[in-house]
Amino acid sequence: MVEAYVTIQTGAGTARDVVEQLRTLDNVVKASIVAGEFDIVAEVEADSERDLLGLISDDIQQFEGVGRTSTCIVLG
Amino acid sequence: MVEAYVTIQTGAGTARDVVEQLRTLDNVVKASIVAGEFDIVAEVEADSERDLLGLISDDIQQFEGVGRTSTCIVLG
Amino acid sequence: MVEAYVTIQTGAGTARDVVEQLRTLDNVVKASIVAGEFDIVAEVEADSERDLLGLISDDIQQFEGVGRTSTCIVLG
Amino acid sequence: MVEAYVTIQTGAGTARDVVEQLRTLDNVVKASIVAGEFDIVAEVEADSERDLLGLISDDIQQFEGVGRTSTCIVLG
Amino acid sequence: MVEAYVTIQTGAGTARDVVEQLRTLDNVVKASIVAGEFDIVAEVEADSERDLLGLISDDIQQFEGVGRTSTCIVLG
Amino acid sequence: MVEAYVTIQTGAGTARDVVEQLRTLDNVVKASIVAGEFDIVAEVEADSERDLLGLISDDIQQFEGVGRTSTCIVLG
Amino acid sequence: MVEAYVTIQTGAGTARDVVEQLRTLDNVVKASIVAGEFDIVAEVEADSERDLLGLISDDIQQFEGVGRTSTCIVLG
Amino acid sequence: MVEAYVTIQTGAGTARDVVEQLRTLDNVVKASIVAGEFDIVAEVEADSERDLLGLISDDIQQFEGVGRTSTCIVLG
């Protein structure tokens, strides 16, 4: 199991919509709108790095309003 | 009362328009065009974190020309 | 209750020690070593912004090995 | 008169001390501890760019605990 | 006289066009395409901060291909 | 011969397409999708700085999905 | 096998020493001094995320001159 | 001839000393204290990338007060 934190910059005025959509995904453990350098922090998990890439590229980044994403894989 | 500094990156040539619009908002205490990593610094206040999110998402980010915003909540 | 994500840059070779110390704090819900721009992501909670400042300034930043910290308060 | 916002990264556990010292300076209009990429935002003013450099280099950066500073001069 | 370095991020494949246009402006002393965090570094001068804002907002940012700009005013 | 690492931020959901296109270029020695601040790291080589600029501006940045690129020339 | 790119900021004047030491490590495939936001880019491999953490924390970060490191795990 | 812009972060209160020392170096064409993300911008030139590395590592980074440096090689 690969765990990761994904930070997301959202388009103007879209943070609420994006966080609602993220929360519908099974592999998203938790998602919060935050104040700071990015707009949303999501805790995700996947079976492998390849599946993690799929979750980010094919699910998360497909939601309207999702801009820059940065992925921090949990090492320990 | 929650106070925060919001740094704003504006689209090409829009800094003046954006700062004028910001100054029309009651919750914007002060807004200045600056030279540096971002284009505008706004001092804002709201009754709660939820209202702060609303001010940023539904007001500030709705102005044409507003790009990336980053929010620094005052702690003390 | 104020929730926040705190990203932490640690000194060379100290990530494991720092994450163990973080996990001893009641207000630290979760702490993980990650690969990416920072070394540790901690999920924290406090009764107020002022208490959050105390948690960061008087507890987290006092651990040996803790360098830059950046705090993202949860808005929704 | 030159106005500027100075963002300051402070050493571990020193934010409160630094903000108190900043508030003793005549040219510091306002100084706040914040949550975000940096630890303190100070609003300053000086008679010229050269005086602004002096304020930053000879006063603000001399306070113990002051690390990285970044200066955004107000343009309008 | 206000001197400044303006770093510019350009759109995909537009660096050469942008640097040529920059070199047509009287207030641009020098402009170079570089390898690094940004794509172009321009050395500019203006009679006042307000004129500097105009040069950036009404001239430089109007060129097609100009994305993020960051302005560093010379202090000494 | 000039060697460089080019970090690339890609548009939402395009990392796989972009990395495949990069691997078709003779001057791209290696290209990988990564988790972190950027999405792809490419190792490239060119006969001169001018050719490196051409590779980046006329080839890499022309692929659909390529956003911000940052070039780090190998010095030793 | 986990592959990753590790970017390293080195202390003043230490880049050459650090890159020589990196090249003595079996798990470092390649290490180069570069011009840009960081000083060295190293390509590394490890049997697992946990071993990768060990390589970074117990080997790379123990070399004198190694400052900030940022790890980008290869996803595909 | 290789030209480059070197951005320098200086230690607290040292910007003036560092810029004076930089101006004593033959390969430093121009050096200015600036307001922004970094403290000094220096324009440098060298006969080759290897000489550029020497100028940065053995001269510039040896001056007391010089912290982070970032080098942007001119491409055109």
Side-chain angles (χ1 to χ4, degrees):
Chain A
M1 178 66 76
V2 179
E3 278 183 72
Y5 285 93
V6 180
T7 64
I8 300 170
Q9 294 181 351
T10 54
T14 65
R16 289 194 202 93
D17 294 341
V18 171
V19 87
E20 291 314 324
Q21 296 178 85
L22 287 170
R23 289 169 179 162
T24 65
L25 295 175
D26 292 339
N27 295 68
V28 173
V29 176
K30 188 175 175 185
S32 309
I33 300 172
V34 297
E37 301 166 61
F38 23 79
D39 302 300
I40 289 176
V41 174
E43 291 175 53
V44 307
E45 53 189 27
D47 292 333
S48 67
E49 272 99 17
R50 189 165 293 278
D51 289 351
L52 177 62
L53 175 56
L55 172 64
I56 293 160
S57 209
D58 306 334
D59 298 322
I60 292 177
Q61 290 185 343
Q62 297 309 318
F63 292 139
E64 203 179 320
V66 169
R68 278 300 308 148
T69 65
S70 178
T71 305
C72 299
I73 292 176
V74 172
L75 293 179
Chain B
M1 177 68 75
V2 180
E3 280 182 71
Y5 285 93
V6 181
T7 63
I8 300 171
Q9 293 180 353
T10 54
T14 65
R16 288 196 202 92
D17 294 342
V18 172
V19 87
E20 291 314 322
Q21 296 178 86
L22 288 169
R23 288 169 180 160
T24 65
L25 296 175
D26 293 338
N27 296 68
V28 173
V29 176
K30 187 175 174 185
S32 310
I33 301 173
V34 297
E37 299 167 64
F38 22 81
D39 302 299
I40 290 175
V41 174
E43 290 176 53
V44 306
E45 51 189 27
D47 292 333
S48 69
E49 273 98 16
R50 190 164 293 278
D51 289 350
L52 177 62
L53 175 57
L55 172 64
I56 292 160
S57 208
D58 306 333
D59 298 323
I60 292 177
Q61 290 185 343
Q62 297 307 319
F63 291 138
E64 203 179 318
V66 169
R68 279 300 308 149
T69 66
S70 179
T71 305
C72 298
I73 291 177
V74 173
L75 293 179
Chain C
M1 179 67 75
V2 180
E3 279 182 73
Y5 285 93
V6 181
T7 64
I8 300 171
Q9 293 181 353
T10 54
T14 65
R16 288 196 203 91
D17 294 342
V18 172
V19 87
E20 291 314 324
Q21 296 177 86
L22 287 169
R23 289 170 180 160
T24 65
L25 295 175
D26 294 339
N27 295 70
V28 172
V29 176
K30 187 175 175 185
S32 310
I33 300 173
V34 298
E37 299 166 63
F38 22 80
D39 301 300
I40 290 176
V41 175
E43 290 176 53
V44 306
E45 52 189 27
D47 291 334
S48 69
E49 272 99 18
R50 190 164 293 279
D51 290 350
L52 177 62
L53 175 57
L55 172 64
I56 292 161
S57 206
D58 307 332
D59 299 323
I60 293 177
Q61 291 185 343
Q62 296 308 318
F63 292 139
E64 203 179 319
V66 169
R68 280 299 309 148
T69 66
S70 180
T71 305
C72 300
I73 292 177
V74 173
L75 293 179
Chain D
M1 179 66 76
V2 179
E3 278 182 73
Y5 286 93
V6 181
T7 64
I8 301 171
Q9 293 181 353
T10 54
T14 65
R16 289 196 203 92
D17 294 341
V18 172
V19 88
E20 291 314 322
Q21 296 177 85
L22 287 169
R23 288 170 180 161
T24 65
L25 295 175
D26 293 338
N27 295 70
V28 173
V29 176
K30 188 175 175 185
S32 309
I33 300 172
V34 298
E37 300 167 62
F38 23 80
D39 302 300
I40 289 176
V41 174
E43 291 175 54
V44 306
E45 53 190 27
D47 292 334
S48 68
E49 272 99 19
R50 189 164 292 280
D51 290 350
L52 177 62
L53 175 57
L55 172 64
I56 293 160
S57 207
D58 306 333
D59 298 323
I60 292 176
Q61 290 185 343
Q62 297 308 319
F63 292 138
E64 203 178 321
V66 169
R68 280 300 309 149
T69 66
S70 179
T71 305
C72 299
I73 292 177
V74 172
L75 293 180
Chain E
M1 178 66 75
V2 179
E3 278 183 72
Y5 286 93
V6 181
T7 64
I8 301 171
Q9 292 180 353
T10 54
T14 65
R16 289 196 203 89
D17 294 341
V18 172
V19 87
E20 291 314 322
Q21 296 178 87
L22 287 170
R23 288 169 180 160
T24 65
L25 296 176
D26 294 339
N27 295 70
V28 173
V29 177
K30 190 175 173 184
S32 310
I33 301 173
V34 297
E37 299 167 64
F38 21 80
D39 302 299
I40 289 175
V41 174
E43 291 176 54
V44 306
E45 50 189 28
D47 292 334
S48 68
E49 272 98 19
R50 189 164 294 278
D51 290 351
L52 177 63
L53 176 57
L55 172 65
I56 293 160
S57 209
D58 306 332
D59 298 323
I60 293 176
Q61 290 184 345
Q62 298 308 317
F63 292 139
E64 204 180 316
V66 169
R68 281 298 310 149
T69 66
S70 181
T71 306
C72 299
I73 291 176
V74 172
L75 293 179
Chain F
M1 178 67 76
V2 179
E3 280 183 71
Y5 285 94
V6 181
T7 63
I8 300 170
Q9 293 180 354
T10 54
T14 65
R16 288 194 203 93
D17 294 341
V18 171
V19 87
E20 290 314 323
Q21 295 178 87
L22 287 169
R23 288 170 180 159
T24 65
L25 295 176
D26 292 339
N27 295 69
V28 173
V29 177
K30 189 176 175 184
S32 309
I33 301 173
V34 297
E37 300 166 64
F38 22 79
D39 302 298
I40 289 176
V41 174
E43 290 175 55
V44 307
E45 53 189 27
D47 292 334
S48 68
E49 272 98 19
R50 189 164 293 277
D51 289 352
L52 177 62
L53 175 56
L55 173 65
I56 293 160
S57 208
D58 306 334
D59 298 324
I60 293 176
Q61 291 185 342
Q62 298 308 318
F63 291 140
E64 203 178 319
V66 169
R68 279 301 307 150
T69 67
S70 180
T71 305
C72 299
I73 292 176
V74 172
L75 293 179
Chain G
M1 179 67 73
V2 178
E3 279 182 71
Y5 285 93
V6 180
T7 64
I8 301 170
Q9 292 180 353
T10 55
T14 66
R16 288 196 203 90
D17 294 341
V18 171
V19 87
E20 290 314 323
Q21 296 178 85
L22 288 168
R23 288 171 181 159
T24 65
L25 296 175
D26 293 340
N27 294 70
V28 173
V29 177
K30 189 177 175 182
S32 310
I33 301 173
V34 297
E37 300 166 63
F38 22 80
D39 302 298
I40 289 176
V41 174
E43 291 175 53
V44 305
E45 52 189 28
D47 292 335
S48 68
E49 272 98 17
R50 190 164 292 276
D51 289 352
L52 177 62
L53 175 56
L55 173 64
I56 292 160
S57 208
D58 307 333
D59 298 324
I60 292 176
Q61 290 185 343
Q62 297 308 318
F63 291 139
E64 202 179 319
V66 168
R68 279 300 307 149
T69 67
S70 180
T71 305
C72 300
I73 292 176
V74 171
L75 293 179
Chain H
M1 179 67 75
V2 180
E3 280 182 72
Y5 286 93
V6 181
T7 64
I8 301 171
Q9 293 181 353
T10 54
T14 65
R16 288 196 204 91
D17 294 341
V18 172
V19 87
E20 290 314 323
Q21 295 178 86
L22 288 169
R23 288 170 181 158
T24 66
L25 295 175
D26 294 339
N27 294 70
V28 172
V29 177
K30 189 176 176 182
S32 309
I33 301 173
V34 297
E37 299 167 63
F38 22 79
D39 303 298
I40 290 176
V41 174
E43 290 175 55
V44 306
E45 52 190 26
D47 291 335
S48 67
E49 273 99 17
R50 191 163 292 278
D51 289 352
L52 177 62
L53 176 55
L55 173 64
I56 293 160
S57 209
D58 306 333
D59 298 324
I60 292 176
Q61 290 185 344
Q62 298 307 317
F63 291 138
E64 203 180 319
V66 169
R68 278 301 308 148
T69 66
S70 180
T71 305
C72 299
I73 291 176
V74 172
L75 293 179

